[in-house]
Amino acid sequence: MLSRESEARYGYLAAVNSTTLADGCVLDLGGGSMQLVHVADRLARQTGSWRVGTVRMSERFLPANGPAKRRQLQTLREHVAEELAQAQWLADARASSANGRLVGVGGTVRNLAAAAQRAAGLPTFGVQGTVLDGEALEELVARLAALPASERASVPGIKPARADLILAGAVVVQGALEAGGFDGLEATEAGLREGVFFERLLAPGAAEGERQPLFDDVRRASVLNLAGQYHFDSAHTRHVAKLALGMFDELARLGLHDGDARERELLWAASMLHDIGMSVDYDDHHKHSRYLILNAGLPGFTPVEVAIVAQAARYHRKGMPEAGPMRELFGEGDKDRLDRCAVLLRLAEDLERSRDQLVRGTRLAARGEQVELALIADGESLVSRWAANRETDLFARAFHRQLAVAA
Protein backbone atom coordinates (compact mmCIF):
# COMPACT_ATOMS: atom_id res chain seq x y z
CA MET A 1 0.00 0.00 0.00
CA LEU A 2 1.56 3.28 -1.11
CA SER A 3 1.47 6.31 1.15
CA ARG A 4 0.03 9.53 -0.24
CA GLU A 5 3.52 10.96 -0.38
CA SER A 6 4.88 8.01 -2.36
CA GLU A 7 1.90 8.03 -4.70
CA ALA A 8 2.38 11.73 -5.39
CA ARG A 9 6.11 11.27 -5.98
CA TYR A 10 5.68 8.41 -8.43
CA GLY A 11 2.98 10.30 -10.29
CA TYR A 12 5.29 13.31 -10.52
CA LEU A 13 8.17 11.20 -11.84
CA ALA A 14 5.89 9.57 -14.40
CA ALA A 15 4.65 12.94 -15.67
CA VAL A 16 7.97 14.78 -15.80
CA ASN A 17 9.75 11.88 -17.52
CA SER A 18 7.04 11.41 -20.16
CA THR A 19 6.26 15.05 -21.02
CA THR A 20 8.16 18.31 -21.38
CA LEU A 21 6.57 19.73 -18.21
CA ALA A 22 8.97 22.16 -16.57
CA ASP A 23 6.65 24.50 -14.65
CA GLY A 24 3.11 23.83 -13.50
CA CYS A 25 1.40 20.95 -11.71
CA VAL A 26 0.89 17.21 -11.90
CA LEU A 27 -2.58 15.82 -11.14
CA ASP A 28 -3.19 12.22 -10.10
CA LEU A 29 -6.85 11.40 -9.57
CA GLY A 30 -7.78 8.10 -7.94
CA GLY A 31 -10.87 6.61 -6.40
CA GLY A 32 -10.40 8.04 -2.93
CA SER A 33 -8.24 11.12 -3.36
CA MET A 34 -6.49 13.49 -5.71
CA GLN A 35 -2.83 14.42 -5.43
CA LEU A 36 -1.39 17.61 -6.89
CA VAL A 37 2.33 18.33 -7.18
CA HIS A 38 3.68 21.80 -7.86
CA VAL A 39 6.56 21.57 -10.36
CA ALA A 40 9.14 24.31 -10.96
CA ASP A 41 12.24 23.81 -13.12
CA ARG A 42 11.14 20.15 -13.42
CA LEU A 43 11.50 19.61 -9.67
CA ALA A 44 8.70 18.84 -7.20
CA ARG A 45 8.27 21.83 -4.91
CA GLN A 46 4.97 21.29 -3.05
CA THR A 47 2.49 18.44 -2.73
CA GLY A 48 -1.11 18.28 -1.62
CA SER A 49 -3.73 15.54 -1.28
CA TRP A 50 -7.51 16.02 -1.19
CA ARG A 51 -10.26 13.50 -0.48
CA VAL A 52 -12.07 14.20 -3.75
CA GLY A 53 -11.51 10.89 -5.54
CA THR A 54 -13.96 9.59 -8.12
CA VAL A 55 -15.53 6.91 -5.93
CA ARG A 56 -15.89 9.21 -2.94
CA MET A 57 -17.40 12.06 -4.98
CA SER A 58 -19.74 9.78 -6.95
CA GLU A 59 -21.16 8.19 -3.81
CA ARG A 60 -21.55 11.49 -1.98
CA PHE A 61 -22.90 13.81 -4.67
CA LEU A 62 -24.20 11.94 -7.70
CA PRO A 63 -27.18 9.61 -8.19
CA ALA A 64 -26.42 5.91 -8.49
CA ASN A 65 -28.66 5.34 -11.50
CA GLY A 66 -30.35 8.27 -13.21
CA PRO A 67 -28.88 11.32 -14.95
CA ALA A 68 -27.21 13.93 -12.76
CA LYS A 69 -29.20 17.07 -12.07
CA ARG A 70 -27.73 20.53 -12.46
CA ARG A 71 -27.97 21.21 -8.74
CA GLN A 72 -26.10 17.98 -7.91
CA LEU A 73 -23.28 18.93 -10.26
CA GLN A 74 -23.13 22.44 -8.82
CA THR A 75 -22.92 21.12 -5.27
CA LEU A 76 -20.04 18.84 -6.29
CA ARG A 77 -18.26 21.74 -8.00
CA GLU A 78 -18.64 23.93 -4.92
CA HIS A 79 -17.25 21.19 -2.70
CA VAL A 80 -14.17 20.69 -4.92
CA ALA A 81 -13.61 24.46 -5.08
CA GLU A 82 -13.76 24.75 -1.28
CA GLU A 83 -11.30 21.90 -0.86
CA LEU A 84 -8.79 23.27 -3.36
CA ALA A 85 -9.04 26.79 -1.97
CA GLN A 86 -6.83 25.53 0.86
CA ALA A 87 -3.88 25.37 -1.54
CA GLN A 88 -2.89 28.94 -2.36
CA TRP A 89 0.21 27.58 -4.05
CA LEU A 90 -2.01 26.00 -6.71
CA ALA A 91 -3.10 29.40 -8.02
CA ASP A 92 0.36 30.84 -7.42
CA ALA A 93 1.96 28.05 -9.46
CA ARG A 94 0.00 29.08 -12.54
CA ALA A 95 0.28 32.81 -11.98
CA SER A 96 4.06 32.68 -11.52
CA SER A 97 4.72 31.15 -14.95
CA ALA A 98 3.30 32.04 -18.34
CA ASN A 99 4.23 28.54 -19.44
CA GLY A 100 2.59 26.75 -16.50
CA ARG A 101 0.82 23.53 -17.46
CA LEU A 102 -1.29 20.88 -15.78
CA VAL A 103 -0.36 17.28 -16.61
CA GLY A 104 -2.59 14.42 -15.50
CA VAL A 105 -1.81 10.76 -14.83
CA GLY A 106 -4.18 7.88 -14.15
CA GLY A 107 -7.03 6.01 -15.79
CA THR A 108 -9.64 8.73 -15.34
CA VAL A 109 -7.47 11.29 -17.13
CA ARG A 110 -6.69 8.88 -19.96
CA ASN A 111 -10.35 7.99 -20.38
CA LEU A 112 -11.45 11.64 -20.48
CA ALA A 113 -8.75 12.44 -23.04
CA ALA A 114 -9.83 9.49 -25.19
CA ALA A 115 -13.46 10.64 -25.10
CA ALA A 116 -12.43 14.18 -26.06
CA GLN A 117 -10.40 12.81 -28.97
CA ARG A 118 -13.36 10.85 -30.26
CA ALA A 119 -15.72 13.79 -29.86
CA ALA A 120 -13.38 15.99 -31.92
CA GLY A 121 -13.04 13.36 -34.64
CA LEU A 122 -9.28 13.08 -34.12
CA PRO A 123 -7.27 9.97 -35.03
CA THR A 124 -6.75 7.70 -32.04
CA PHE A 125 -3.30 6.24 -31.53
CA GLY A 126 -3.16 6.75 -27.79
CA VAL A 127 -3.70 9.83 -25.66
CA GLN A 128 -0.08 10.70 -24.89
CA GLY A 129 0.25 14.47 -25.15
CA THR A 130 -3.46 15.04 -25.81
CA VAL A 131 -4.66 18.29 -24.23
CA LEU A 132 -8.20 18.37 -22.84
CA ASP A 133 -9.23 22.03 -22.79
CA GLY A 134 -11.94 23.58 -20.65
CA GLU A 135 -14.50 23.86 -23.43
CA ALA A 136 -14.14 20.23 -24.49
CA LEU A 137 -14.35 19.12 -20.87
CA GLU A 138 -17.53 21.13 -20.28
CA GLU A 139 -19.16 19.55 -23.33
CA LEU A 140 -18.15 16.11 -22.11
CA VAL A 141 -19.56 16.76 -18.62
CA ALA A 142 -22.89 17.87 -20.11
CA ARG A 143 -23.05 14.77 -22.30
CA LEU A 144 -22.21 12.40 -19.44
CA ALA A 145 -24.55 14.08 -16.96
CA ALA A 146 -27.52 13.65 -19.30
CA LEU A 147 -27.11 9.85 -19.20
CA PRO A 148 -27.68 7.32 -16.42
CA ALA A 149 -24.43 5.84 -15.14
CA SER A 150 -25.28 2.53 -16.82
CA GLU A 151 -25.35 4.22 -20.24
CA ARG A 152 -22.27 6.45 -20.04
CA ALA A 153 -20.14 3.79 -21.71
CA SER A 154 -22.15 4.56 -24.86
CA VAL A 155 -20.14 7.78 -25.14
CA PRO A 156 -17.27 6.94 -27.53
CA GLY A 157 -14.00 6.60 -25.65
CA ILE A 158 -15.55 5.89 -22.22
CA LYS A 159 -14.66 2.44 -20.90
CA PRO A 160 -17.49 0.43 -19.31
CA ALA A 161 -15.40 -0.18 -16.19
CA ARG A 162 -15.23 3.60 -15.57
CA ALA A 163 -18.72 4.59 -16.70
CA ASP A 164 -20.16 4.95 -13.20
CA LEU A 165 -17.28 7.12 -11.94
CA ILE A 166 -16.22 9.13 -14.97
CA LEU A 167 -18.64 12.02 -14.45
CA ALA A 168 -17.39 12.77 -10.97
CA GLY A 169 -13.82 12.53 -12.26
CA ALA A 170 -14.56 15.03 -15.01
CA VAL A 171 -16.06 17.53 -12.55
CA VAL A 172 -13.08 17.19 -10.18
CA VAL A 173 -10.70 17.83 -13.07
CA GLN A 174 -12.74 20.93 -13.93
CA GLY A 175 -12.23 22.12 -10.39
CA ALA A 176 -8.47 21.68 -10.63
CA LEU A 177 -8.36 23.60 -13.92
CA GLU A 178 -10.33 26.47 -12.42
CA ALA A 179 -8.42 26.57 -9.14
CA GLY A 180 -5.08 26.77 -10.90
CA GLY A 181 -6.22 28.89 -13.84
CA PHE A 182 -4.98 26.31 -16.32
CA ASP A 183 -6.14 26.31 -19.94
CA GLY A 184 -6.29 22.55 -20.18
CA LEU A 185 -5.15 19.18 -18.89
CA GLU A 186 -2.42 17.32 -20.77
CA ALA A 187 -2.68 13.55 -20.57
CA THR A 188 0.21 11.14 -20.26
CA GLU A 189 -0.02 7.39 -20.58
CA ALA A 190 2.67 6.93 -17.94
CA GLY A 191 1.47 6.14 -14.43
CA LEU A 192 2.62 5.09 -10.98
CA ARG A 193 4.23 1.92 -12.31
CA GLU A 194 6.36 3.97 -14.68
CA GLY A 195 7.19 6.36 -11.85
CA VAL A 196 8.62 3.50 -9.81
CA PHE A 197 10.55 2.31 -12.87
CA PHE A 198 12.02 5.75 -13.55
CA GLU A 199 13.20 6.11 -9.97
CA ARG A 200 14.98 2.77 -10.07
CA LEU A 201 16.33 3.21 -13.60
CA LEU A 202 17.54 6.80 -13.48
CA ALA A 203 18.81 7.17 -9.92
CA PRO A 204 19.37 3.71 -8.43
CA GLY A 205 20.40 3.92 -4.81
CA ALA A 206 20.62 7.71 -4.85
CA ALA A 207 20.35 9.32 -1.44
CA GLU A 208 18.01 12.21 -0.69
CA GLY A 209 19.32 15.40 -2.27
CA GLU A 210 21.51 13.59 -4.79
CA ARG A 211 20.85 13.12 -8.51
CA GLN A 212 17.16 13.38 -9.37
CA PRO A 213 15.66 10.48 -11.39
CA LEU A 214 14.91 12.64 -14.43
CA PHE A 215 15.80 12.27 -18.09
CA ASP A 216 18.04 15.11 -19.23
CA ASP A 217 15.99 15.36 -22.44
CA VAL A 218 12.66 13.52 -22.53
CA ARG A 219 12.18 13.84 -26.28
CA ARG A 220 15.65 12.58 -27.16
CA ALA A 221 15.37 9.69 -24.70
CA SER A 222 11.98 8.79 -26.17
CA VAL A 223 13.33 8.50 -29.71
CA LEU A 224 16.47 6.60 -28.75
CA ASN A 225 14.47 4.22 -26.56
CA LEU A 226 12.09 3.35 -29.40
CA ALA A 227 14.94 2.96 -31.87
CA GLY A 228 16.81 0.72 -29.46
CA GLN A 229 13.84 -1.59 -28.99
CA TYR A 230 14.07 -2.62 -32.64
CA HIS A 231 17.84 -3.19 -32.89
CA PHE A 232 18.38 -0.52 -35.53
CA ASP A 233 21.50 -0.38 -37.72
CA SER A 234 23.17 2.31 -35.66
CA ALA A 235 25.90 3.33 -38.10
CA HIS A 236 23.50 3.64 -41.04
CA THR A 237 20.72 5.34 -39.12
CA ARG A 238 22.95 7.89 -37.44
CA HIS A 239 24.62 8.70 -40.75
CA VAL A 240 21.25 9.23 -42.43
CA ALA A 241 20.38 11.61 -39.59
CA LYS A 242 23.70 13.44 -39.99
CA LEU A 243 23.19 13.88 -43.73
CA ALA A 244 19.56 14.98 -43.36
CA LEU A 245 20.35 17.52 -40.65
CA GLY A 246 23.32 18.82 -42.61
CA MET A 247 21.10 19.53 -45.62
CA PHE A 248 18.45 21.07 -43.35
CA ASP A 249 21.02 23.49 -41.94
CA GLU A 250 22.46 24.35 -45.36
CA LEU A 251 19.03 25.08 -46.83
CA ALA A 252 18.25 27.30 -43.84
CA ARG A 253 21.49 29.17 -44.43
CA LEU A 254 20.43 29.67 -48.05
CA GLY A 255 17.13 31.14 -46.83
CA LEU A 256 14.90 28.38 -48.22
CA HIS A 257 13.26 27.79 -44.83
CA ASP A 258 13.46 29.41 -41.41
CA GLY A 259 15.53 26.71 -39.67
CA ASP A 260 12.98 26.09 -36.92
CA ALA A 261 14.65 24.08 -34.15
CA ARG A 262 11.51 22.04 -33.44
CA GLU A 263 11.21 21.04 -37.10
CA ARG A 264 14.88 20.05 -37.09
CA GLU A 265 14.20 17.80 -34.12
CA LEU A 266 11.29 16.15 -35.95
CA LEU A 267 13.58 15.46 -38.92
CA TRP A 268 16.14 13.92 -36.57
CA ALA A 269 13.48 11.73 -34.95
CA ALA A 270 12.17 10.53 -38.31
CA SER A 271 15.71 9.79 -39.46
CA MET A 272 16.46 7.75 -36.34
CA LEU A 273 13.22 5.76 -36.63
CA HIS A 274 12.72 5.38 -40.38
CA ASP A 275 13.99 1.79 -40.54
CA ILE A 276 12.51 0.28 -37.36
CA GLY A 277 9.83 -1.38 -39.50
CA MET A 278 12.47 -3.80 -40.75
CA SER A 279 11.93 -5.67 -37.49
CA VAL A 280 8.57 -6.68 -38.97
CA ASP A 281 9.61 -7.25 -42.57
CA TYR A 282 11.84 -5.57 -45.16
CA ASP A 283 9.01 -5.39 -47.68
CA ASP A 284 6.94 -2.30 -46.94
CA HIS A 285 9.14 -1.57 -43.94
CA HIS A 286 8.41 2.15 -44.37
CA LYS A 287 4.75 1.39 -43.64
CA HIS A 288 5.69 -0.82 -40.70
CA SER A 289 7.87 1.97 -39.31
CA ARG A 290 4.91 4.33 -39.44
CA TYR A 291 2.73 1.81 -37.60
CA LEU A 292 5.31 1.23 -34.86
CA ILE A 293 5.90 4.95 -34.31
CA LEU A 294 2.20 5.72 -34.01
CA ASN A 295 1.38 2.78 -31.76
CA ALA A 296 4.45 2.90 -29.54
CA GLY A 297 4.15 6.64 -29.14
CA LEU A 298 6.84 9.22 -28.45
CA PRO A 299 6.50 10.65 -24.93
CA GLY A 300 7.39 14.32 -24.90
CA PHE A 301 6.07 14.91 -28.42
CA THR A 302 2.64 16.31 -29.20
CA PRO A 303 0.20 14.16 -31.21
CA VAL A 304 0.74 16.21 -34.38
CA GLU A 305 4.51 15.95 -33.98
CA VAL A 306 4.25 12.17 -33.67
CA ALA A 307 2.09 12.19 -36.80
CA ILE A 308 4.68 14.20 -38.76
CA VAL A 309 7.51 11.89 -37.66
CA ALA A 310 5.47 8.80 -38.53
CA GLN A 311 4.38 10.12 -41.93
CA ALA A 312 7.93 11.24 -42.80
CA ALA A 313 9.14 7.71 -42.03
CA ARG A 314 6.26 6.32 -44.09
CA TYR A 315 7.38 8.30 -47.15
CA HIS A 316 11.13 7.84 -46.85
CA ARG A 317 11.19 5.50 -49.86
CA LYS A 318 8.64 6.68 -52.40
CA GLY A 319 5.36 8.46 -52.98
CA MET A 320 4.29 12.04 -52.41
CA PRO A 321 3.83 12.68 -48.66
CA GLU A 322 0.35 13.31 -47.35
CA ALA A 323 -1.25 13.54 -43.94
CA GLY A 324 -3.61 10.64 -44.72
CA PRO A 325 -5.54 9.53 -41.62
CA MET A 326 -3.61 12.11 -39.58
CA ARG A 327 -5.13 15.05 -41.48
CA GLU A 328 -7.41 16.14 -38.62
CA LEU A 329 -4.37 16.74 -36.43
CA PHE A 330 -2.57 18.92 -38.95
CA GLY A 331 -2.72 22.66 -38.53
CA GLU A 332 -1.26 25.59 -40.44
CA GLY A 333 2.17 24.80 -41.82
CA ASP A 334 2.22 21.13 -40.78
CA LYS A 335 1.85 19.80 -44.33
CA ASP A 336 4.85 21.90 -45.40
CA ARG A 337 6.84 20.60 -42.43
CA LEU A 338 6.04 17.05 -43.47
CA ASP A 339 7.17 17.72 -47.06
CA ARG A 340 10.49 19.19 -45.90
CA CYS A 341 11.17 16.40 -43.42
CA ALA A 342 10.19 13.69 -45.90
CA VAL A 343 12.32 14.92 -48.80
CA LEU A 344 15.43 15.52 -46.67
CA LEU A 345 15.09 12.11 -45.06
CA ARG A 346 14.58 10.54 -48.48
CA LEU A 347 17.61 12.32 -49.95
CA ALA A 348 19.75 11.26 -46.99
CA GLU A 349 18.59 7.66 -47.44
CA ASP A 350 19.42 7.87 -51.15
CA LEU A 351 22.92 9.08 -50.40
CA GLU A 352 23.41 6.25 -47.89
CA ARG A 353 22.01 3.48 -50.13
CA SER A 354 25.23 1.50 -49.85
CA ARG A 355 25.04 1.60 -46.03
CA ASP A 356 28.78 2.19 -45.81
CA GLN A 357 28.89 5.95 -45.25
CA LEU A 358 30.49 6.43 -48.69
CA VAL A 359 28.90 9.89 -48.97
CA ARG A 360 30.34 11.77 -46.01
CA GLY A 361 28.46 15.02 -46.50
CA THR A 362 26.92 17.50 -48.90
CA ARG A 363 27.35 21.03 -50.22
CA LEU A 364 24.33 23.00 -51.35
CA ALA A 365 24.36 26.17 -53.42
CA ALA A 366 21.48 28.33 -54.65
CA ARG A 367 21.72 29.38 -58.28
CA GLY A 368 18.63 31.35 -59.25
CA GLU A 369 15.64 29.02 -59.24
CA GLN A 370 17.88 26.01 -58.80
CA VAL A 371 19.61 24.37 -55.85
CA GLU A 372 22.75 22.43 -56.69
CA LEU A 373 23.57 19.44 -54.51
CA ALA A 374 27.21 18.35 -54.51
CA LEU A 375 28.30 15.16 -52.74
CA ILE A 376 31.38 14.82 -50.58
CA ALA A 377 32.32 11.18 -51.03
CA ASP A 378 35.24 8.82 -50.46
CA GLY A 379 34.75 7.08 -53.80
CA GLU A 380 32.53 6.79 -56.85
CA SER A 381 29.02 7.99 -55.95
CA LEU A 382 27.20 7.31 -59.21
CA VAL A 383 24.42 5.28 -57.58
CA SER A 384 23.88 7.91 -54.89
CA ARG A 385 23.63 10.69 -57.48
CA TRP A 386 21.19 8.64 -59.54
CA ALA A 387 19.00 7.98 -56.49
CA ALA A 388 19.02 11.63 -55.39
CA ASN A 389 18.00 12.76 -58.87
CA ARG A 390 14.67 10.94 -58.41
CA GLU A 391 13.59 13.40 -55.71
CA THR A 392 13.31 16.50 -57.89
CA ASP A 393 9.49 16.68 -57.82
CA LEU A 394 9.21 16.40 -54.04
CA PHE A 395 12.12 18.82 -53.53
CA ALA A 396 10.39 21.38 -55.76
CA ARG A 397 7.16 21.00 -53.78
CA ALA A 398 8.96 21.37 -50.44
CA PHE A 399 11.39 24.20 -51.26
CA HIS A 400 10.00 25.79 -54.45
CA ARG A 401 13.31 25.29 -56.24
CA GLN A 402 14.59 22.80 -58.80
CA LEU A 403 17.14 20.30 -57.51
CA ALA A 404 20.24 19.59 -59.58
CA VAL A 405 22.67 16.92 -58.41
CA ALA A 406 26.22 17.79 -59.43
CA ALA A 407 28.27 15.19 -61.30
Side-chain angles (χ1 to χ4, degrees), residues 61 72-74 113 134 141 157 162 183 205 210 248 250 254 258 308 311 317 372:
F61 293 101
Q72 292 170 322
L73 293 174
Q74 185 58 32
V141 166
R162 294 190 179 275
D183 295 327
E210 294 183 0
F248 180 93
E250 287 187 282
L254 294 173
D258 61 11
I308 291 172
Q311 292 300 98
R317 297 179 72 190
E372 184 176 276

Short mmCIF file of all heavy atoms in Angstrom, two decimals, residues 61 72-74 113 134 141 157 162 183 205 210 248 250 254 258 308 311 317 372:
data_model
loop_
_atom_site.label_atom_id
_atom_site.label_comp_id
_atom_site.label_asym_id
_atom_site.label_seq_id
_atom_site.Cartn_x
_atom_site.Cartn_y
_atom_site.Cartn_z
N PHE A 61 -22.19 12.72 -4.00
CA PHE A 61 -22.90 13.81 -4.67
C PHE A 61 -23.75 13.42 -5.87
O PHE A 61 -24.64 14.18 -6.25
CB PHE A 61 -21.88 14.87 -5.13
CG PHE A 61 -21.19 15.59 -4.01
CD1 PHE A 61 -19.91 15.25 -3.63
CD2 PHE A 61 -21.84 16.62 -3.33
CE1 PHE A 61 -19.27 15.89 -2.60
CE2 PHE A 61 -21.20 17.29 -2.29
CZ PHE A 61 -19.92 16.92 -1.92
N GLN A 72 -27.05 18.97 -8.44
CA GLN A 72 -26.10 17.98 -7.91
C GLN A 72 -24.69 18.28 -8.42
O GLN A 72 -23.71 18.20 -7.66
CB GLN A 72 -26.54 16.58 -8.32
CG GLN A 72 -27.82 16.13 -7.64
CD GLN A 72 -28.37 14.85 -8.23
OE1 GLN A 72 -28.32 14.63 -9.44
NE2 GLN A 72 -28.90 13.98 -7.37
N LEU A 73 -24.58 18.60 -9.70
CA LEU A 73 -23.28 18.93 -10.26
C LEU A 73 -22.72 20.21 -9.63
O LEU A 73 -21.52 20.29 -9.32
CB LEU A 73 -23.39 19.12 -11.77
CG LEU A 73 -23.72 17.87 -12.60
CD1 LEU A 73 -23.93 18.25 -14.06
CD2 LEU A 73 -22.61 16.84 -12.48
N GLN A 74 -23.59 21.18 -9.41
CA GLN A 74 -23.13 22.44 -8.82
C GLN A 74 -22.65 22.24 -7.39
O GLN A 74 -21.63 22.82 -6.98
CB GLN A 74 -24.27 23.47 -8.84
CG GLN A 74 -23.86 24.85 -8.34
CD GLN A 74 -22.72 25.45 -9.15
OE1 GLN A 74 -22.59 25.19 -10.34
NE2 GLN A 74 -21.88 26.24 -8.47
N ALA A 113 -9.47 12.00 -21.84
CA ALA A 113 -8.75 12.44 -23.04
C ALA A 113 -9.18 11.64 -24.26
O ALA A 113 -9.35 12.19 -25.35
CB ALA A 113 -7.24 12.31 -22.82
N GLY A 134 -10.76 23.36 -21.47
CA GLY A 134 -11.94 23.58 -20.65
C GLY A 134 -13.24 23.45 -21.41
O GLY A 134 -14.23 22.91 -20.88
N VAL A 141 -18.80 16.84 -19.87
CA VAL A 141 -19.56 16.76 -18.62
C VAL A 141 -21.06 16.82 -18.92
O VAL A 141 -21.85 16.03 -18.36
CB VAL A 141 -19.15 17.90 -17.66
CG1 VAL A 141 -20.16 18.03 -16.51
CG2 VAL A 141 -17.75 17.64 -17.10
N GLY A 157 -15.22 6.36 -26.41
CA GLY A 157 -14.00 6.60 -25.65
C GLY A 157 -14.12 6.27 -24.18
O GLY A 157 -13.10 6.09 -23.50
N ARG A 162 -15.32 2.27 -16.20
CA ARG A 162 -15.23 3.60 -15.57
C ARG A 162 -16.52 4.41 -15.74
O ARG A 162 -16.59 5.56 -15.31
CB ARG A 162 -14.05 4.38 -16.15
CG ARG A 162 -12.72 3.77 -15.80
CD ARG A 162 -11.56 4.68 -16.16
NE ARG A 162 -10.30 4.07 -15.80
CZ ARG A 162 -9.74 4.13 -14.59
NH1 ARG A 162 -10.33 4.82 -13.64
NH2 ARG A 162 -8.60 3.53 -14.35
N ASP A 183 -5.34 26.33 -18.71
CA ASP A 183 -6.14 26.31 -19.94
C ASP A 183 -6.65 24.92 -20.28
O ASP A 183 -7.68 24.76 -20.93
CB ASP A 183 -5.32 26.84 -21.12
CG ASP A 183 -4.96 28.30 -20.95
OD1 ASP A 183 -5.75 29.04 -20.35
OD2 ASP A 183 -3.87 28.69 -21.41
N GLY A 205 19.65 3.79 -6.05
CA GLY A 205 20.40 3.92 -4.81
C GLY A 205 20.79 5.33 -4.44
O GLY A 205 21.58 5.54 -3.52
N GLU A 210 20.57 13.89 -3.72
CA GLU A 210 21.51 13.59 -4.79
C GLU A 210 20.79 13.64 -6.13
O GLU A 210 19.71 14.21 -6.25
CB GLU A 210 22.16 12.23 -4.54
CG GLU A 210 23.04 12.20 -3.30
CD GLU A 210 23.74 10.86 -3.12
OE1 GLU A 210 23.53 9.96 -3.95
OE2 GLU A 210 24.47 10.72 -2.13
N PHE A 248 19.41 20.16 -43.98
CA PHE A 248 18.45 21.07 -43.35
C PHE A 248 19.13 22.38 -42.99
O PHE A 248 18.61 23.48 -43.28
CB PHE A 248 17.88 20.40 -42.10
CG PHE A 248 16.87 21.23 -41.33
CD1 PHE A 248 15.52 21.10 -41.59
CD2 PHE A 248 17.28 22.12 -40.35
CE1 PHE A 248 14.58 21.86 -40.88
CE2 PHE A 248 16.37 22.89 -39.64
CZ PHE A 248 15.01 22.75 -39.91
N GLU A 250 21.98 23.63 -44.17
CA GLU A 250 22.46 24.35 -45.36
C GLU A 250 21.32 25.09 -46.06
O GLU A 250 21.48 26.23 -46.49
CB GLU A 250 23.11 23.36 -46.33
CG GLU A 250 24.48 22.87 -45.89
CD GLU A 250 25.14 22.04 -46.97
OE1 GLU A 250 24.77 20.86 -47.14
OE2 GLU A 250 26.03 22.58 -47.67
N LEU A 254 20.73 29.10 -46.74
CA LEU A 254 20.43 29.67 -48.05
C LEU A 254 19.10 30.44 -48.07
O LEU A 254 18.73 31.02 -49.09
CB LEU A 254 20.39 28.55 -49.10
CG LEU A 254 21.71 27.84 -49.38
CD1 LEU A 254 21.49 26.65 -50.31
CD2 LEU A 254 22.74 28.81 -49.98
N ASP A 258 13.04 28.56 -42.53
CA ASP A 258 13.46 29.41 -41.41
C ASP A 258 14.31 28.70 -40.37
O ASP A 258 14.69 29.29 -39.36
CB ASP A 258 12.24 30.06 -40.74
CG ASP A 258 11.26 29.02 -40.18
OD1 ASP A 258 11.62 27.82 -40.11
OD2 ASP A 258 10.13 29.42 -39.82
N ILE A 308 3.72 13.75 -37.76
CA ILE A 308 4.68 14.20 -38.76
C ILE A 308 5.88 13.25 -38.83
O ILE A 308 6.32 12.87 -39.92
CB ILE A 308 5.14 15.64 -38.46
CG1 ILE A 308 3.98 16.61 -38.69
CG2 ILE A 308 6.34 16.03 -39.33
CD1 ILE A 308 4.27 18.04 -38.24
N GLN A 311 4.65 9.97 -40.50
CA GLN A 311 4.38 10.12 -41.93
C GLN A 311 5.67 10.36 -42.72
O GLN A 311 5.81 9.89 -43.86
CB GLN A 311 3.39 11.26 -42.18
CG GLN A 311 1.98 10.99 -41.66
CD GLN A 311 1.34 9.77 -42.30
OE1 GLN A 311 1.34 8.68 -41.73
NE2 GLN A 311 0.81 9.94 -43.50
N ARG A 317 10.77 6.28 -48.70
CA ARG A 317 11.19 5.50 -49.86
C ARG A 317 10.58 6.01 -51.16
O ARG A 317 11.28 6.17 -52.16
CB ARG A 317 10.80 4.03 -49.68
CG ARG A 317 11.48 3.35 -48.50
CD ARG A 317 11.02 1.91 -48.34
NE ARG A 317 11.56 1.06 -49.38
CZ ARG A 317 11.15 -0.20 -49.58
NH1 ARG A 317 10.17 -0.70 -48.84
NH2 ARG A 317 11.69 -0.92 -50.53
N GLU A 372 21.79 23.46 -56.26
CA GLU A 372 22.75 22.43 -56.69
C GLU A 372 23.23 21.65 -55.48
O GLU A 372 23.67 22.23 -54.49
CB GLU A 372 23.93 23.07 -57.40
CG GLU A 372 24.92 22.03 -57.95
CD GLU A 372 26.05 22.68 -58.73
OE1 GLU A 372 25.84 22.95 -59.93
OE2 GLU A 372 27.12 22.91 -58.13
#
